[in-house]
Amino acid sequence: MHNKTVLPIATGGTIAHLLALDYVFKPTLSILGATALIHGVYIVDSEVAYTKENEIEFIAEEAEARIKRSLKELGYHLEQTKRSVES
């Protein structure tokens, strides 16, 4: 993970596990050498379903919107990193 950009995404049974991203994943990823941690996304199991093809289907539009925002942030960060390396 050294010098990597990471977008933590987690699912769980209840909102009670929301803080796992901040108190477990972020410190662990940092110790492993991740240099950029994008704002993570936590999704409750009831907000998603799986199709017969084993693909994710969003039940809650807000969950899908959170994922899209974080992916956009990830893309922006990666583009900025690429530009700084090229110059």
Side-chain angles (χ1 to χ4, degrees), residues 1-2 18 22 28 35 41 53 64-65 76:
M1 293 247 156
H2 186 66
L18 170 67
D22 289 329
T28 302
T35 54
V41 179
E53 293 79 29
E64 185 174 12
Y76 175 80

Side-chain angles (χ1 to χ4, degrees), residues 5 74-87:
T5 299
L74 175 64
Y76 175 80
H77 181 80
L78 292 175
E79 185 62 34
Q80 295 302 313
T81 301
K82 180 181 174 184
R83 286 183 185 164
S84 68
V85 169
E86 291 174 348
S87 56

